[in-house]
């Protein structure tokens, strides 16, 4: 049987990366991401600047995605875009661009939930990776979100737990900022942690009921710890950077793994998939490999470029929705808050 080829152009603009991708069915032909360096100097994403940068990037990024895929826009079968959740000003740029392109080309428009996309990124065709089997547990860990989701089917998901305050990526970034590291500090904590002793310093873990998370207390305890120690030894952070990073990362990973193990025990599900920027962390990857050995889990980590914000993951959801004929009207509106269930 020959499968009919569908070409989906996908656009992602929920936060600070402008991205466009072209998929042929579940295969990625191109996935272009323009990051916005402007936020670095402010130590976090500035919504107004993000929106303006999306406006500057979107046309060249879409052109590049089409050129790399070697697909003329007339051959596109549908336009998929991130409807939410995210920063409203950023979402509006992608939403209005997608709407006008779909209207101009007279092809279906498909609104996509960004959090669903982080999970369904696992269904992008990748020769090196097996796709998860339903039902599985997905842990989405990024700068904006921390969720454990029971995935019963492509579009049947239930949030089992989520953060009550900061996202795990924020915990990494805010801790890094306290150590004087540039934004985003998550990858730098990871790098320094690899040379440090994870048991050198102990930070308290929050007590949160059920499968929910909390990370704001950790940030405060790190702040007090650094203030206390630098009062005694002004160059404490510099001298102990590796050990501090390793200890912070250890605490964060303990929090994540405890909840993930509780979710597995509660549901009896041993197939676990992670996604989002923090899934790039080398420590979480090691922990999951360990859990395959010790707990009999089957774990899935997408390719790095499909972990961080990208349009390819929006494209795979676009394709799955295309197969179901689940199209959006031209009056669809972006949603800053948009749950997956
Ligand atoms: O998914 P993502 O690119 O954007 C959001 O939707 O937020 O995630 C970005 C987050 C940032 O907080 C960044 O510090 C974190 O992912 N991150 C990491 C690593 N790589 C990226 N955190 C820890 N270790 C890493 N290797
Ligand atoms: Zn994201």
């Amino acid at each position: 049987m020959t499968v009919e080829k569908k070409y989906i152009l996908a656009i992602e603009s929920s936060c600070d990366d402008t991205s466009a991708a072209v998929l042929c069915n579940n295969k990625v032909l191109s996935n272009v991401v323009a990051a916005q360096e402007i936020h670095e100097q402010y130590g976090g994403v500035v919504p107004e600047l993000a929106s303006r940068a999306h406006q500057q990037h979107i046309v060249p990024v879409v052109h590049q995605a089409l050129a790399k895929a070697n697909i003329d826009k007339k051959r596109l079968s549908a336009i998929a875009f991130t409807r939410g959740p995210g920063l409203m000003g950023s979402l509006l740029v992608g939403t209005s661009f997608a709407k006008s392109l779909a209207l101009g080309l007279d092809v279906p428009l498909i609104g996509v939930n960004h959090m669903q996309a982080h999970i369904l990124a696992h269904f992008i065709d990748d020769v090196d990776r097996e796709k998860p089997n339903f039902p599985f547990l997905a842990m989405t860990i990024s700068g904006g979100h921390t969720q454990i989701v029971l995935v019963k089917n492509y579009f049947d998901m239930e949030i089992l737990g989520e953060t009550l305050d900061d996202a795990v990526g924020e915990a990494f970034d805010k801790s890094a900022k306290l150590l004087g590291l540039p934004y985003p500090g998550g990858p730098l904590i990871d790098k320094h942690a690899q040379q440090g002793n994870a048991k050198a310093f102990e930070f308290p873990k929050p007590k949160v009921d059920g499968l929910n998370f909390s990370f704001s207390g950790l940030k405060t305890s790190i702040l007090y710890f650094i203030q206390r120690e630098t009062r005694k030894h002004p160059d404490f952070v510099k001298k102990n950077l590796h050990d501090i990073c390793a200890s912070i990362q250890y605490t964060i990973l303990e929090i994540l793994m405890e909840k993930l193990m509780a979710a597995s025990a509660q549901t009896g599900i041993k197939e676990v998939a992670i996604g989002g920027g923090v899934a790039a962390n080398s420590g979480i990857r090691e922990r999951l490999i360990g859990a395959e050995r010790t707990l009999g889990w089957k774990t899935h980590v997408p390719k790095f470029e499909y972990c961080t914000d990208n349009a390819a993951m929006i494209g795979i959801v676009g394709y799955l929705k295309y197969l179901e004929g689940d199209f959006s009207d031209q009056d669809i509106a972006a949603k800053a808050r948009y749950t997956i269930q």
Side-chain angles (χ1 to χ4, degrees):
M1 195 182 81
T2 54
V3 181
E4 204 184 334
K5 283 187 177 164
K6 297 295 171 197
Y7 293 97
I8 312 284
L9 171 73
I11 292 162
E12 152 65 31
S13 72
S14 65
C15 190
D16 60 340
D17 293 315
T18 318
S19 181
V22 178
L23 273 75
C24 174
N25 298 353
N26 61 352
K27 285 193 175 52
V28 177
L29 302 183
S30 64
N31 183 36
V32 177
V33 183
Q36 303 180 356
E37 268 111 44
I38 179 93
H39 307 288
E40 227 169 86
Q41 57 191 291
Y42 300 98
V45 177
V46 185
E48 178 56 31
L49 297 179
S51 168
R52 218 178 299 163
H54 282 305
Q55 291 175 38
Q56 287 160 353
H57 290 164
I58 195 143
V59 173
V61 164
V62 167
H63 271 257
Q64 225 178 313
L66 288 166
K68 273 198 178 167
N70 199 18
I71 295 294
D72 188 277
K73 59 182 185 303
K74 293 196 185 75
R75 286 174 70 196
L76 295 173
S77 319
I79 312 294
F81 70 98
T82 305
R83 184 184 182 195
L87 302 170
M88 189 43 104
S90 293
L91 290 166
L92 282 173
V93 178
T95 305
S96 26
F97 188 90
K99 279 187 188 184
S100 26
L101 193 58
L103 194 64
L105 296 172
D106 194 23
V107 293
L109 177 69
I110 302 172
V112 171
N113 182 303
H114 179 93
M115 296 311 293
Q116 230 169 32
H118 269 302
I119 295 170
L120 297 177
H122 289 276
F123 294 94
I124 289 172
D125 196 51
D126 183 344
V127 284
D128 298 329
R129 284 169 175 78
E130 259 181 69
K131 295 176 182 54
N133 298 293
F134 299 114
F136 64 92
L137 293 174
M139 184 166 74
T140 321
I141 39 180
S142 74
H145 302 272
T146 307
Q147 290 185 331
I148 296 181
V149 180
L150 168 59
V151 188
K152 298 173 215 168
N153 211 324
Y154 295 124
F155 298 109
D156 187 2
M157 302 185 183
E158 185 189 332
I159 299 172
L160 300 181
E162 60 190 330
T163 185
L164 304 174
D165 41 57
D166 289 350
V168 61
E170 276 180 290
F172 270 105
D173 296 339
K174 288 179 178 175
S175 306
K177 199 171 173 184
L178 294 173
L179 300 174
L181 299 172
Y183 176 85
L188 296 168
I189 292 207
D190 188 5
K191 194 176 123 219
H192 292 297
Q194 287 173 38
Q195 296 167 65
N197 171 10
K199 302 280 173 66
F201 306 107
E202 201 175 324
F203 298 108
K205 280 185 280 170
K207 290 184 182 57
V208 188
D209 285 344
L211 298 176
N212 288 331
F213 299 91
S214 168
F215 289 102
S216 62
L218 177 65
K219 179 188 63 195
T220 313
S221 67
I222 293 169
L223 171 68
Y224 290 155
F225 165 77
I226 292 171
Q227 283 177 342
R228 199 172 57 236
E229 295 301 324
T230 36
R231 233 177 278 135
K232 290 186 263 175
H233 311 283
D235 53 357
F236 174 79
V237 170
K238 205 168 138 209
K239 283 208 167 135
N240 296 279
L241 190 59
H242 294 159
D243 286 350
I244 302 172
C245 287
S247 303
I248 292 173
Q249 179 160 307
Y250 175 81
T251 311
I252 293 176
L253 297 185
E254 282 285 300
I255 297 170
L256 293 177
M257 287 306 290
E258 267 176 26
K259 296 290 177 167
L260 201 47
M261 286 193 283
S264 170
Q266 189 178 306
T267 57
I269 296 173
K270 290 185 170 220
E271 186 142 359
V272 174
I274 61 167
V278 181
N281 184 269
S282 61
I284 189 84
R285 288 173 179 238
E286 270 170 32
R287 293 288 186 106
L288 290 180
I289 292 167
E292 294 207 332
R293 240 183 1 252
T294 56
L295 301 171
W297 286 9
K298 186 165 174 47
T299 67
H300 303 266
V301 186
K303 213 190 240 177
F304 179 67
E305 66 168 311
Y306 305 143
C307 279
T308 51
D309 286 351
N310 68 90
M313 69 181 192
I314 305 301
I316 187 70
V317 184
Y319 175 63
L320 294 167
K321 284 193 164 192
Y322 188 97
L323 295 179
E324 296 195 352
D326 186 359
F327 303 138
S328 309
D329 292 331
Q330 273 290 332
D331 59 6
I332 186 174
K335 279 180 100 163
R337 287 172 175 274
Y338 186 15
T339 178
I340 58 175
Q341 49 187 14

